[in-house]
Amino acid sequence: MNAQKLSKRLETVASFVPTGAVVADIGSDHAYLPCYLVYNGVVTRAIAGEVVKGPFDSALKQVKLEGLEDNITVRLADGLKAIEESDNVDTITIAGMGGPLIVSILEKNPHALKTVTRLILQPNIHAKVIRQWAIRNQWAILEEVILKEDEKIYEVLVLQRGEMELTEQEILLGKHLMASKTDVFIEKWSKEIDNWKRILESIERAEDTSDIVKKREDVTHKIQLVEEALNHEER
């Protein structure tokens, strides 16, 4: 992977950046995504934010190597603190982290979202918490993609401002992903069911404390939600 050729995961994130956007890539690592967006004429201005000195130095080096210092500003900052009001950022990308960490970044500096109209988020795990955050904060899911790369499964969520209602099942699985029900979606959730069934087997042998009973009910409920989605046939 480099600034001209992204991974399938980051290429999917890039595909949802609107042409002409001012984008802030939070947790930018080597700044490959902003460089790629500028190279391909999608954006002319971008912010690459990094909280860790090593990746920050790598991003600075990459931007200089590509000769894009006039287009991409690299900042060492915690999360959305990399965004300044004068940047007029309208699109934020956050990729390669867990869902809870992405949510904590969004919640820590909500004022930085003032000019933002699109969020493109790629959680490695627990996309559910992003959907819950979106509902609470008046963001609606425009699109969702599930993909597999190097034997790992990722989800990409594209959010725009707006009201949204989701069922418990849709929060867990993703409304758009349930509708398309791709092979990767089926693979991911079939594995989750197998894992939950192993958990059930292990707690069947445990003493019936209130915590064990609650855990059993919770796991059984999630299995039912997912099996219902996987077995549902479109009429």
Side-chain angles (χ1 to χ4, degrees):
M1 184 170 74
N2 54 50
Q4 282 83 38
K5 179 62 179 172
L6 297 179
S7 64
K8 183 180 174 183
R9 173 179 65 88
L10 285 182
E11 202 171 65
T12 303
V13 171
S15 72
F16 290 108
V17 175
T19 301
V22 180
V23 66
D25 184 37
I26 306 301
S28 197
D29 203 6
H30 287 78
Y32 287 151
L33 178 58
C35 289
Y36 175 90
L37 290 168
V38 174
Y39 265 128
N40 286 276
V42 180
V43 308
T44 56
R45 288 199 298 127
I47 311 298
E50 253 304 336
V51 69
V52 180
K53 185 72 165 62
F56 166 76
D57 289 338
S58 296
L60 273 179
K61 185 179 176 182
Q62 189 68 42
V63 169
K64 188 173 183 181
L65 184 69
E66 305 292 345
L68 297 176
E69 299 101 316
D70 291 343
N71 304 93
I72 300 170
T73 304
V74 184
R75 294 193 182 122
L76 182 65
D78 183 8
L80 300 187
K81 286 183 179 177
I83 300 170
E84 297 177 0
E85 197 169 340
S86 59
D87 295 328
N88 291 313
V89 166
D90 53 42
T91 301
I92 290 176
T93 56
I94 309 178
M97 308 175 198
L101 179 55
I102 291 174
V103 166
S104 73
I105 288 170
L106 294 170
E107 288 183 336
K108 197 180 285 185
N109 294 286
H111 60 277
L113 298 174
K114 190 166 67 173
T115 59
V116 175
T117 55
R118 177 169 291 198
L119 299 171
I120 307 163
L121 310 174
Q122 183 269 297
N124 291 345
I125 54 171
H126 303 312
K128 170 184 175 179
V129 298
I130 293 177
R131 297 185 187 104
Q132 291 171 326
W133 175 87
I135 292 168
R136 289 196 308 271
N137 292 276
Q138 289 76 57
W139 287 86
I141 295 174
L142 181 66
E143 187 57 86
E144 295 171 302
V145 176
I146 189 166
L147 63 119
K148 187 175 183 179
E149 184 174 49
D150 298 331
E151 296 308 306
K152 293 181 180 176
I153 292 176
Y154 304 100
E155 293 180 32
V156 176
L157 285 71
V158 184
L159 280 63
Q160 64 182 11
R161 292 190 180 275
E163 299 289 333
M164 175 178 66
E165 290 184 10
L166 296 176
T167 65
E168 182 184 8
Q169 192 179 47
E170 289 166 345
I171 289 171
L172 178 64
L173 300 166
K175 185 175 182 177
H176 297 269
L177 301 180
M178 282 172 60
S180 56
K181 208 190 297 184
T182 63
D183 289 345
V184 178
F185 175 85
I186 292 167
E187 179 186 345
K188 172 188 167 77
W189 290 107
S190 296
K191 285 180 179 175
E192 287 288 358
I193 287 174
D194 290 343
N195 184 47
W196 289 331
K197 285 182 176 176
R198 281 193 293 272
I199 292 170
L200 275 184
E201 284 176 16
S202 69
I203 62 178
E204 284 300 333
R205 297 186 290 272
E207 185 184 343
D208 260 0
T209 63
S210 58
D211 284 347
I212 290 293
V213 170
K214 188 175 185 305
K215 177 78 171 175
R216 187 184 297 126
E217 288 173 351
D218 180 52
V219 173
T220 301
H221 180 57
K222 284 194 285 194
I223 290 172
Q224 288 171 343
L225 285 177
V226 176
E227 284 185 336
E228 182 184 296
L230 294 183
N231 295 329
H232 176 72
E233 294 295 331
E234 293 294 332
R235 288 180 174 82

